[in-house]
DNA sequence: CTGCAAAAATGAACTGCTTCAACTTTTTTC
DNA sequence: GAAAAAAGTTGAAGCAGTTCATTTTTGCAG
C-alpha cells in the first residue's frame, strides 16, 4: 500500500478530482474542458481517462462524495427522530434538499442525473444508484421507527410506504433541479404540501 | 398553407422523422449517425439542423408521438373505468407500460429521458414534460372519478394522490428502462405490488 | 547495479455532432 | 417579367470528448 506506484496513483486521483471539482464549480460543467482539467491536475488527457471513464463519470465521482455526506447527516436524524411524523419526515428530507446546492450547481446535478440514465452500466452510475437506494432505505427506516412508536398506522410495510414517499420527494427534487428559476424555498414549500398529504394518509 | 415553400418544408420534416425513426429502430440511437439520417432523408446535414436542434431533439420528437398515442389510449380507460379502484389504476398504468416498447427501445427511452434532464429548455424537452404532466393529470382524473364513485376516501385532494401515484409509477418505469434485463412481466408485477399498497392506503 | 517485464503516462490522431459563410431557391415588389 | 429581398439549403471546417500506439517509469530478479 505504501509502494511508490500506489502513492502516485492515489495522488493523481486526488489531483484530478480536485481540479475537476474546482473547474466545474467555477465555470460550470459544460464549459470546463477535459484539457483544462488535465492541465490543472498536472496529468495528461490520456492519464485522466485511465482514472475515469469519461467526463460525466468524473462528475459523478464528485456527486457521490456529496451524497455520502448527506447520508451521514440523515443518519443523525433517523437515530433521534423529531416529535411528530410530519416533522420527522420534513426534517430528514430538508437535510437532503438543503445540502444539495452546497458543492454542486443545478447544472451539475442535471448532468449527473442524465448520465446515470444514459449509461446505467458505467461504474459511477451504479454507485450513484446505490447511494440513491441508501437514501430511500434511510427514509424507510425512519417510517419503520415512526411505526414502532405508533405514529404511523400498521398493516402496510414501512418499505412500501418509504419507497413511495422517496419516489415522490425525488420527483420534487428533479423538478427543482430542472427549473433554474425555482428557489430552494419553493422546493421546501412543495415538500411540506406533499408531506402533509402523505402523513394524513399514513397517520394513525 | 399551400405555398411551394410550405409544402417542401412539411415534406422534409416528414422525411427526416421517418429516416430517424427507421434508423434508430434498426441500429439503435447511439449507432445511428446524423450523416446517415440526413442521407436517407435526402437532405443535407445543415438542413437537418434547421429542423431539429440536435440529435436528441430529433429522438424526442419521435418519443412525443409515442406518448401522444398512449395519452389517447388512456383517455378511453378514464372515460369508462373498470370496477374496482385497484383494477382501474392497474388497467390505466398497464396501458402506459405495455405501449412503451412498441416503437421505442429501452436505449431510446434512456437517451430521451437523459436529454430532457440535461437540456430542459430545448423545445422538445418542454414538450416531453408537457406530455408527462398530461399523463399525470390523466391519473389524477381517474382518481377523482373513483372518489366521486365512492371507491376512494374523501378528505385528500385527488390531485395530491394522483401526483404521488404517478411519481411512484414513473420511478418504476425508469428502473425498468435502466435495466436491460428486466422483462415487462416484472414491471407489471412490481406495479401490482405498489398499487396494492397504494389502494389500501386510499380505499374507503 | 543491470536488465527485463509489467504497469502506467502520454498526446497526436480520430470520431461524430454541430456550426456558419457561401450559395440556391422562392417570394415579393414594381 | 426582371430585380431585389427573404427564406432556406449546403457541406466543409470546427470543436471537444475519446482512443490507442508509443514512450516512460516502476518493480523485481539475478
Amino acid at each position: 500500500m505504501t509502494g511508490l506506484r500506489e502513492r502516485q496513483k492515489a495522488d493523481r486521483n486526488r489531483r484530478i478530482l480536485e481540479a475537476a471539482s474546482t473547474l466545474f464549480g467555477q465555470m460550470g460543467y459544460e464549459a470546463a474542458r477535459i484539457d483544462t482539467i488535465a492541465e490543472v491536475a498536472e496529468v495528461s488527457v490520456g492519464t485522466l481517462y485511465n482514472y475515469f471513464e469519461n467526463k460525466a463519470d468524473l462528475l459523478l465521482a464528485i456527486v457521490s462524495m456529496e451524497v455520502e455526506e448527506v447520508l451521514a447527516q440523515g443518519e443523525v436524524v433517523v437515530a433521534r427522530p423529531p416529535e411528530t411524523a410530519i416533522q420527522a419526515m420534513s426534517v430528514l428530507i430538508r437535510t437532503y434538499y438543503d445540502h444539495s446546492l452546497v458543492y454542486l450547481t443545478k447544472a451539475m446535478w442535471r448532468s449527473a442525473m442524465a448520465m446515470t440514465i444514459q449509461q446505467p452500466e458505467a461504474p459511477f452510475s451504479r454507485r450513484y444508484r446505490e447511494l440513491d437506494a441508501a437514501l430511500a432505505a434511510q427514509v424507510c427506516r425512519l417510517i419503520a421507527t415512526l411505526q414502532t412508536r405508533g405514529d404511523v398506522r400498521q398493516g402496510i410495510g414501512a418499505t412500501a410506504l418509504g419507497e413511495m414517499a422517496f419516489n415522490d420527494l425525488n420527483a420534487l427534487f428533479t423538478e427543482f433541479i430542472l427549473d433554474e428559476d425555482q428557489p430552494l424555498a419553493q422546493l421546501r414549500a412543495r415538500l411540506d404540501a406533499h408531506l402533509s398529504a402523505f402523513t394524513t394518509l399514513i397517520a394513525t
Side-chain angles (χ1 to χ4, degrees), chain A:
Chain A
M1 201 24 152
T2 50
L4 174 58
R5 184 158 276 171
E6 310 263 358
R7 268 182 290 124
Q8 281 184 333
K9 223 160 135 176
D11 197 53
R12 285 205 184 89
N13 196 74
R14 190 190 50 71
R15 288 209 309 272
I16 293 171
L17 280 174
E18 214 165 287
S21 189
T22 306
L23 288 170
F24 287 161
Q26 265 175 18
M27 60 206 304
Y29 172 75
E30 304 285 352
R33 302 283 150 239
I34 291 286
D35 289 9
T36 317
I37 297 170
E39 209 173 311
V40 172
E42 294 181 309
V43 295
S44 72
V45 174
T47 298
L48 192 152
Y49 275 90
N50 276 346
Y51 285 77
F52 298 90
E53 287 218 340
N54 52 42
K55 192 182 177 184
D57 194 35
L58 184 50
L59 172 64
L60 275 181
I62 296 164
V63 173
S64 294
M65 295 191 296
E66 145 79 26
V67 180
E68 273 158 20
E69 263 187 47
V70 169
L71 257 178
Q73 286 197 6
E75 210 53 40
V76 179
V77 178
V78 173
R80 307 188 85 261
E83 284 296 313
T84 66
I86 191 166
Q87 270 181 349
M89 290 289 287
S90 182
V91 168
L92 180 62
I93 311 300
R94 282 196 183 199
T95 302
Y96 300 163
Y97 287 174
D98 289 348
H99 203 282
S100 66
L101 295 186
V102 175
Y103 300 125
L104 304 171
T105 62
K106 285 189 179 187
M108 284 164 80
W109 275 109
R110 286 197 296 269
S111 297
M113 287 176 173
M115 174 187 190
T116 59
I117 291 174
Q118 181 115 46
Q119 306 180 39
E121 300 312 314
F124 277 104
S125 292
R126 289 178 184 281
R127 178 84 190 117
Y128 181 89
R129 287 210 301 287
E130 265 174 39
L131 289 166
D132 217 53
L135 285 172
Q138 206 167 52
V139 172
C140 292
R141 273 186 294 131
L142 176 62
I143 290 181
T145 306
L146 295 172
Q147 220 170 21
T148 318
R149 222 166 62 176
D151 293 337
V152 167
R153 70 153 138 162
Q154 309 290 320
I156 296 180
T159 305
L161 290 177
E163 283 176 3
M164 196 176 299
F166 184 76
N167 286 339
D168 194 47
L169 306 168
N170 221 358
L172 284 187
F173 182 67
T174 303
E175 283 174 37
F176 167 67
I177 289 303
L178 289 191
D179 182 2
E180 205 63 56
D181 294 332
Q182 185 179 151
L184 195 57
Q186 192 182 332
L187 174 61
R188 283 206 213 94
R190 296 191 69 199
L191 166 69
D192 288 342
H194 277 234
L195 281 183
S196 163
F198 184 69
T199 46
T200 304
L201 272 183
I202 69 169
T204 44

